[in-house]
Amino acid sequence: MRAKTRGVRCYNPDMSKVRAKKIKLLLLDVDGVMTDGKLYFVPLPGAKLPPGTEVKLEQGGYGIPGEAVEVKAFHAHDGTGFSLGRLGGLQFGLITKRISETVRLRARDLKIEYVFQGSANKLQAFRDILQKTGLKAEEVAFVGDDIIDLPVMRACGLSIAVANAREDVKDEAMVITDHRGGEGAVRDAVEYILKAQGTLARAIDAYISDRTSIHEKLQ
């Protein structure tokens, strides 16, 4: 994980770590952050979008209609990252313009607290989350990869770009992950925050201990 120095505001590694210590909620884009950004469409007749899609589409969201299923691939390392983050006291949320049943299922699998799909205005979704949680902007981090993510990255407490983000996004990020989107970038972000907060080692120990005890019970 590299701390990014931002020219005008002069962010430095020490400042980024100070900001990371305040983070209670990690928000993420989906395509290009939780995934590698590639979109696969499988033609399966009868496939449907989640309930309420029509309203979201009218507001500028984007989804694939019933003649195809949108397929995404998620990395197992990131899945572990969510577990570590939760053990370290973090909450999670997704803000994405697209609308996908695959994302809904993955979010449910990972027990992600806040899921905003069909959000063409990501900054408004960010504000809605702040209002719902009662958190301050400085207590929220966001991981993005493309220019649509910039408004939230500029408003949050800790802006993080994935390694293969667009240059405009990396130029404004306080931290850049070592791994690319869909290849462990979320895990990088989680570990960076937990390390800054001094909870990473304990979270790892708790994660391993929990699974070891379960394994021993099965012997």
Side-chain angles (χ1 to χ4, degrees):
M1 175 79 69
R2 304 186 299 278
K4 175 74 175 182
T5 301
R6 191 158 72 179
V8 177
R9 299 193 181 184
C10 299
Y11 281 108
N12 55 53
D14 291 335
M15 180 62 71
S16 297
K17 290 178 181 178
V18 169
R19 285 175 170 264
K21 289 179 180 179
K22 302 177 182 179
I23 300 304
K24 298 179 180 178
L25 171 64
L26 177 59
L27 299 177
L28 309 156
D29 177 34
V30 176
D31 297 308
V33 173
M34 288 183 66
T35 76
D36 63 6
K38 296 185 179 71
L39 302 173
Y40 301 91
F41 302 107
V42 180
L44 295 176
K48 298 180 180 180
L49 288 170
T53 293
E54 295 78 9
V55 175
K56 290 292 186 179
L57 291 175
E58 291 174 0
Q59 296 174 350
Y62 183 77
I64 298 300
E67 67 268 14
V69 170
E70 184 175 316
V71 179
K72 303 176 189 288
F74 302 97
H75 206 292
H77 289 181
D78 287 338
T80 301
F82 282 98
S83 296
L84 292 174
R86 193 159 284 108
L87 288 168
L90 294 179
Q91 290 185 303
F92 295 94
L94 307 178
I95 303 178
T96 175
K97 182 179 179 180
R98 300 184 68 82
I99 304 168
S100 169
E101 179 68 4
T102 304
V103 171
R104 187 189 71 81
L105 293 172
R106 183 59 170 164
R108 185 185 68 181
D109 177 47
L110 296 172
K111 299 180 176 62
I112 295 175
E113 290 87 349
Y114 308 100
V115 181
F116 282 68
Q117 295 201 68
S119 297
N121 186 340
K122 293 192 175 187
L123 184 58
Q124 184 57 55
F126 174 72
R127 290 169 176 160
D128 290 344
I129 291 173
L130 291 183
Q131 184 175 19
K132 180 177 294 188
T133 61
L135 294 174
K136 300 176 182 178
E138 65 190 37
E139 296 175 314
V140 182
F142 184 84
V143 186
D145 73 305
D146 212 336
I147 55 175
I148 193 174
D149 300 316
L150 287 175
V152 179
M153 293 177 69
R154 291 165 178 166
C156 71
L158 182 67
S159 58
I160 303 173
V162 298
N164 59 324
R166 304 301 299 179
E167 288 303 315
D168 288 345
V169 176
K170 289 195 283 189
D171 285 344
E172 296 203 35
M174 301 170 195
V175 175
I176 300 175
T177 65
D178 288 333
H179 293 83
R180 298 164 62 90
E183 298 179 3
V186 176
R187 176 77 164 273
D188 287 347
V190 170
E191 291 187 350
Y192 181 85
I193 293 170
L194 294 186
K195 186 174 182 180
Q197 296 178 352
T199 58
L200 178 58
R202 291 198 300 271
I204 292 175
D205 287 344
Y207 180 87
I208 295 173
S209 175
D210 180 54
R211 280 145 186 80
T212 301
S213 63
I214 291 175
H215 176 72
E216 290 174 348
K217 290 177 182 178
L218 296 176
Q219 296 302 309

